[in-house]
Amino acid sequence: MPPKPGVIPLGPLRLGDIFNGAFSTLGRYGKQLFAVGAALYGGALVVVGVAVAVAYSAVSDHLDRLFELEEGESAASGDVVPVIVAFGAVALAGILAMVIASAVVYAAVPAVLQEAVLGRPTTFSAVWRRAWARTPAVVGTVLLAGLITMVPIALAVAALTGGIIAAVATDGSGGAVALIVVGAVCFLAFVPLALWLGVRLTLAPSAAVFENQGPVASIRRSAQLVRGDWWRICGMTLLAGVISAAASYIIQLPFSLLGVFTGALGGAAFDENTHPAAILTLLGGYLVVGVLGQLVSQLIVAVFPPLVTGLLYVDRRIRTEDLGPVLAEAAAVPPR
């Protein structure tokens, strides 16, 4: 029986060991993880809120003129273009804020697991410093892995689209069906390749934090560790995603119901003479409730699957590199 100083036994891990370890980590180190996630995603929401306020103040006059248009009256481009640019800037700010927040959370999870596996305590500040230090490497690793995975997806879409366009260009001749079939076959051939690559690279963020690797080295390390155990890692990763998605849905459900209820109460007093500002206020309240639900559920989605992949990383190193005795020595566990 391998020693168990922390959330997992320091030997080859089974399905139950990995998921029990993930839940145990949430139980023992949940405050640190959720505090980091709440600070980051809350900060991202603040950035979006500030961006919305700045954008609204910049184009409020244009919005007023657009709301005052009579039926059948066309909007002036001088009003439409600034509004589109402002909302595009808000969307870009939101995307960047969420990418940075998600990257830091992805780095925080392995930082916590390093202590959880050894049964050592940690603090919010320690996790925060470690996560921020590895965030550039994690961002580069996730972007590089995403680009690699997107290549076969783009080829699949291009093959199917090209087959359909070529079939349409033949004006329904006998070769049209053959062209569509060829495009569909190519599409179905590239999709499994994308899935295969995605699983091969799934351990790369953990390698970037655990081993202080750069993006390219982390990609290579993940491919090396996954070799020979692809199906097992694929199944556990998918199961973790299903569990987090179900938990996210359950968490968001009461917030959604609350938003619909408050919207129905407020909308009952509206008529055709209601001022646009009142409508925006109602939509703003509904949006706030929805965002709160999304924030809470995002913490689960952002934390649980990386916990599972982080433990899979540890398991692969235990199985292929005999990491167990090294971890036991680091945890000051007497040999058995």
Side-chain angles (χ1 to χ4, degrees):
M1 179 70 70
K4 186 180 178 182
V7 296
I8 57 170
L10 302 182
L13 303 178
R14 299 168 297 179
L15 174 67
D17 295 325
I18 289 177
F19 280 87
N20 286 338
F23 285 115
S24 296
T25 304
L26 286 178
R28 299 183 190 181
Y29 301 87
K31 291 181 180 179
Q32 294 87 337
L33 281 174
F34 292 137
V36 170
L40 290 163
Y41 289 118
L45 291 178
V46 170
V47 170
V48 173
V50 171
V52 169
V54 172
Y56 179 78
S57 64
V59 299
S60 58
D61 293 339
H62 301 287
L63 285 173
D64 289 340
R65 285 192 288 271
L66 291 175
F67 278 122
E68 291 171 358
L69 290 174
E70 300 292 337
E71 185 177 354
E73 186 179 356
S74 60
S77 60
D79 290 326
V80 175
V81 172
V83 171
I84 294 176
V85 171
F87 280 99
V90 170
L92 179 60
I95 291 172
L96 290 176
M98 291 301 292
V99 166
I100 294 173
S102 297
V104 180
V105 172
Y106 266 57
V109 171
V112 168
L113 278 177
Q114 285 180 317
E115 309 303 328
V117 168
L118 301 178
R120 299 189 302 210
T122 189
T123 62
F124 170 83
S125 59
V127 174
W128 183 269
R129 288 193 302 269
R130 176 66 173 156
W132 267 112
R134 299 307 302 159
T135 293
V138 172
V139 170
T141 300
V142 171
L143 290 178
L144 181 58
L147 288 175
I148 293 173
T149 307
M150 282 299 297
V151 170
I153 294 177
L155 292 175
V157 174
L160 185 60
T161 304
I164 294 174
I165 292 175
V168 172
T170 60
D171 296 327
S173 62
V177 175
L179 290 172
I180 294 176
V181 170
V182 170
V185 169
C186 292
F187 175 84
L188 294 176
F190 282 120
V191 169
L193 176 60
L195 176 62
W196 180 79
L197 286 172
V199 175
R200 289 270 290 183
L201 307 181
T202 194
L203 304 184
S206 298
V209 179
F210 277 108
E211 302 181 29
N212 295 324
Q213 299 274 18
V216 175
S218 299
I219 293 294
R220 292 174 178 169
R221 188 74 168 119
S222 177
Q224 175 188 2
L225 291 172
V226 172
R227 187 180 299 119
D229 205 14
W230 188 93
W231 284 106
R232 179 169 171 268
I233 293 174
C234 177
M236 290 192 183
T237 303
L238 290 177
L239 180 58
V242 170
I243 292 174
S244 63
S248 174
Y249 175 78
I250 293 172
I251 291 171
Q252 287 191 59
L253 188 58
F255 288 94
S256 300
L257 294 176
L258 179 61
V260 171
F261 180 70
T262 55
L265 290 180
F270 289 164
D271 55 30
E272 64 274 8
N273 297 319
T274 301
H275 194 276
I279 299 176
L280 290 176
T281 301
L282 174 64
L283 292 177
Y286 179 79
L287 180 62
V288 168
V289 174
V291 166
L292 287 175
Q294 182 65 34
L295 174 61
V296 176
S297 64
Q298 180 65 27
L299 293 176
I300 302 297
V301 175
V303 168
F304 188 74
L307 279 175
V308 172
T309 55
L311 291 174
L312 283 169
Y313 164 87
V314 175
D315 172 62
R316 289 304 298 157
R317 290 199 61 186
I318 289 174
R319 291 173 182 268
T320 61
E321 300 173 357
D322 198 24
L323 185 64
V326 177
L327 293 175
E329 182 179 356
V333 176
R336 296 189 179 185

